[in-house]
Amino acid sequence: MGKSKTQKKSMENDQKENGIQISRKRKASGQLQPPKTKIMWSINNTDTERLYKELGVGTLSSESSNSDADSLTELTPTVGKKNASQEVPGAPKILQPSQCLNTSIGLERRSSLSLFVSSPVNYSRQKNKCDISVCDTKGPDYFSGLSDEIILCVFRWLPKFTLAKCSRVCHRWNRLVSDDCLWKRIDLANKTIAKGTLSNILNRGVQILRLTKSEVEGPIFSGFTSIIKSTRLSKVQYLDLSMASVPVAVLEELFSVCRDLRKVSLEHCQLSDEVCQHIGENKNLEVINLAMCQGITSAGLMPITTNCRRLESLNLAWSGLQRHSVVYLSLCLPSSLRKLNLSGLRENITDEEVHQLVKTCSSLRELDLSDCTILTCSSIEHIASHLNRLEYLALSRCYRILPSTIPKLNQLDSMLAVDVFGMLREGALQQLREAMFRIEINKFPFSSIARPTTGIRRTSIWGLRVRDNVI
């Protein structure tokens, strides 16, 4: 026993010196096996047939190239000597287009696997007459001979992202792409605008800007653009920020450079007195939509009513105005006002404010007093006696107004429609329609006063197109 152990140890030491590793099973059994030699396959034309048989794959016949789909015939591997002579063809193997050879001409299917093995494929790109990228001939540049005016006419048909790529071509194109005529209208609705991006948009000279439901991050002016803020004002005239997520500080920064605004919408935005003060510095302002805005006070309304004397349409629906703010509006609104929406003020507006309002703005054509719950029949009498040009009146859910007083509006020759949603049942509503047969009842469930978009027209604001032309 001692001799056998010493012999095993000596044999193991010899094998370690020769670089031969022994498994634990072999150590336990003590049986040594010579290392297996690797079989190197040489892919030659003579050994191809033998290689396919050992791999279990048969060569394709020449007739297979005419079939509908190229296939490889699989042969079941032989097990033992009994099944060596029996060959059972397998299911056809369909090659995908990505498995075929890709040549410079296109995707071509090969009918024989021997062609793929025997002849190596050169994947280097070959020059083709149809390949424009490798063409060495250079022709005259006719585009550089065009004037700037003609090139700008061509650029006007390109979308904004293509213009951004054109600015990288050369210095001349970069100068032409920066022209103000190419950036008059921009639609960035439902976008997230990073800080510093909006300043670049304003410096392009945009006049019609739509930021509906967008998220604007601040600050707007940062770095070198902070110098432009103090030296150059924006050219924005039509601005739509309805339902946008904009901090108050960003709004103050934005409106501090706007002096040419004509129509603006800040529906459902948080405001401050400073923002309202900047808005009031736009003396040519015609339309203001402040529906559902929070933070509006009488101090913020004062610069708007004082400086914006050309105001024609104002929407303050559901803005949470206090009683003293409503009293101030009834006394100081400009006489040029044509459309006014004060719905949702609940108990903060009374018949006295309505009486003073119709005297101050006697040229009103559309008036919305819906959800003003403490108005009475005297408001109807004031409206019928002072607003001779009134065309539309909304009194929905004003429950203290008796239905019998509404037909007094028939004395207004200009009256076209009256809304009384939620006040009358179907029978009483039918009687009102008969009494006011000339006037339409309950035609407009939603107010469109000062709003930039109404209905399904979402590619324009206040009737002005904001999107690029579709090529």
Side-chain angles (χ1 to χ4, degrees):
M1 294 296 293
K3 292 181 180 180
S4 62
K5 290 183 179 180
T6 56
Q7 290 178 358
K8 289 181 180 179
K9 289 182 179 180
S10 61
M11 294 175 65
E12 291 177 0
N13 294 330
D14 295 338
Q15 290 178 354
K16 287 181 180 179
E17 292 178 358
N18 295 330
I20 302 173
Q21 297 180 357
I22 306 174
S23 61
R24 294 181 180 179
K25 292 182 180 180
R26 290 178 181 176
K27 281 186 177 181
S29 62
Q31 297 178 0
L32 299 178
Q33 296 180 359
K36 295 183 180 180
T37 58
K38 296 182 180 180
I39 300 175
M40 303 298 294
W41 296 98
S42 60
I43 303 175
N44 298 324
N45 294 332
T46 56
D47 299 335
T48 302
E49 187 70 22
R50 181 176 57 83
L51 175 62
Y52 293 160
K53 290 183 179 181
E54 293 183 3
L55 293 177
V57 180
T59 57
L60 296 176
S61 61
S62 59
E63 298 178 355
S64 62
S65 59
N66 298 327
S67 61
D68 295 337
D70 298 336
S71 60
L72 294 177
T73 306
E74 297 181 355
L75 301 179
T76 56
T78 58
V79 181
K81 294 182 180 180
K82 295 181 180 180
N83 299 329
S85 60
Q86 297 179 359
E87 295 180 355
V88 181
K93 185 177 181 180
I94 300 175
L95 293 179
Q96 300 294 332
S98 60
Q99 297 174 344
C100 301
L101 296 180
N102 185 11
T103 61
S104 60
I105 301 175
L107 293 175
E108 297 179 355
R109 293 184 175 182
R110 302 298 183 184
S111 61
S112 176
L113 187 61
S114 61
L115 180 62
F116 174 73
V117 178
S118 60
S119 60
V121 180
N122 185 13
Y123 290 96
S124 61
R125 187 176 182 180
Q126 300 178 359
K127 290 186 177 181
N128 190 9
K129 294 181 179 180
C130 298
D131 194 355
I132 302 176
S133 61
V134 298
C135 184
D136 297 333
T137 60
K138 294 182 179 180
D141 188 4
Y142 297 104
F143 201 84
S144 60
L146 299 177
S147 62
D148 293 349
E149 291 77 8
I150 297 177
I151 296 177
L152 288 175
C153 291
V154 176
F155 283 172
R156 286 175 184 174
W157 291 92
L158 301 179
K160 297 299 184 291
F161 66 90
T162 307
L163 286 176
K165 294 180 180 179
C166 292
S167 63
R168 305 177 184 178
V169 174
C170 59
H171 291 286
R172 186 190 181 192
W173 283 29
N174 190 5
R175 176 178 57 84
L176 293 175
V177 166
S178 301
D179 195 274
D180 295 348
C181 67
L182 301 177
W183 303 92
K184 288 185 177 181
R185 58 189 82 238
I186 297 178
D187 185 6
L188 294 175
N190 302 301
K191 304 292 183 182
T192 300
I193 302 174
K195 58 181 180 179
T197 305
L198 189 57
S199 62
N200 297 327
I201 296 173
L202 297 176
N203 294 331
R204 293 285 186 181
V206 58
Q207 297 180 6
I208 305 173
L209 181 59
R210 184 171 183 247
L211 297 172
T212 306
K213 298 181 181 179
S214 297
E215 182 179 356
V216 183
E217 300 176 356
I220 297 176
F221 300 95
S222 60
F224 69 93
T225 58
S226 59
I227 303 174
I228 303 176
K229 175 185 175 181
S230 59
T231 58
R232 182 180 178 183
L233 298 176
S234 67
K235 298 181 180 180
V236 180
Q237 297 182 8
Y238 304 90
L239 178 60
D240 183 11
L241 285 166
S242 302
M243 311 298 289
S245 177
V246 188
V248 178
V250 176
L251 283 178
E252 295 175 358
E253 192 176 6
L254 173 61
F255 284 98
S256 63
V257 296
C258 297
R259 295 294 182 272
D260 297 329
L261 287 174
R262 292 187 177 182
K263 297 180 180 181
V264 61
S265 177
L266 291 168
E267 186 170 340
H268 205 280
C269 292
Q270 182 70 30
L271 304 182
S272 64
D273 293 342
E274 188 174 355
V275 174
C276 296
Q277 184 177 358
H278 289 311
I279 294 174
E281 295 178 1
N282 297 269
K283 297 183 179 180
N284 296 325
L285 203 57
E286 300 174 357
V287 176
I288 304 178
N289 180 21
L290 301 178
M292 294 182 289
C293 289
Q294 302 298 324
I296 302 176
T297 61
S298 57
L301 293 173
M302 186 178 298
I304 296 177
T305 56
T306 304
N307 299 328
C308 304
R309 305 307 298 180
R310 297 182 180 180
L311 194 62
E312 296 181 357
S313 183
L314 177 62
N315 192 337
L316 292 169
W318 300 95
S319 55
L321 292 178
Q322 299 299 322
R323 175 71 183 276
H324 60 276
S325 299
V326 178
V327 173
Y328 173 79
L329 280 176
S330 62
L331 295 172
C332 301
L333 280 176
S335 58
S336 60
L337 202 62
R338 299 291 183 269
K339 300 178 182 180
L340 179 61
N341 190 344
L342 296 177
S343 61
L345 295 184
R346 298 293 184 177
E347 299 179 357
N348 293 328
I349 184 172
T350 62
D351 296 332
E352 297 178 1
E353 284 76 44
V354 173
H355 188 197
Q356 184 61 43
L357 179 64
V358 296
K359 289 181 179 180
T360 305
C361 305
S362 58
S363 301
L364 281 176
R365 297 182 179 179
E366 295 185 15
L367 179 60
D368 193 343
L369 296 174
S370 302
D371 296 284
C372 297
T373 55
I374 62 174
L375 294 181
T376 61
C377 301
S378 60
S379 296
I380 300 293
E381 297 177 357
H382 297 323
I383 292 172
S385 58
H386 291 85
L387 299 181
N388 298 324
R389 299 180 181 179
L390 191 63
E391 299 177 357
Y392 170 75
L393 178 62
L395 299 172
S396 301
R397 293 168 295 278
C398 294
Y399 301 112
R400 293 193 181 185
I401 298 178
L402 298 177
S404 59
T405 59
I406 298 177
K408 292 183 179 180
L409 298 174
N410 284 326
Q411 66 186 24
L412 297 177
D413 297 333
S414 59
M415 182 62 67
L416 300 176
V418 176
D419 288 340
V420 287
F421 289 100
M423 293 179 60
L424 303 174
R425 294 184 178 180
E426 188 62 31
L429 188 62
Q430 185 63 29
Q431 293 178 2
L432 181 62
R433 287 191 176 122
E434 294 176 357
M436 305 175 67
F437 60 92
R438 185 179 56 86
I439 301 173
E440 296 185 3
I441 306 298
N442 291 350
K443 184 179 180 181
F444 305 102
F446 302 103
S447 175
S448 61
I449 296 175
R451 284 183 171 170
T453 56
T454 56
I456 60 175
R457 299 180 61 186
R458 298 182 181 179
T459 59
S460 62
I461 55 176
W462 295 290
L464 301 172
R465 181 175 50 84
V466 294
R467 295 186 181 178
D468 298 318
N469 293 329
V470 180
I471 302 178

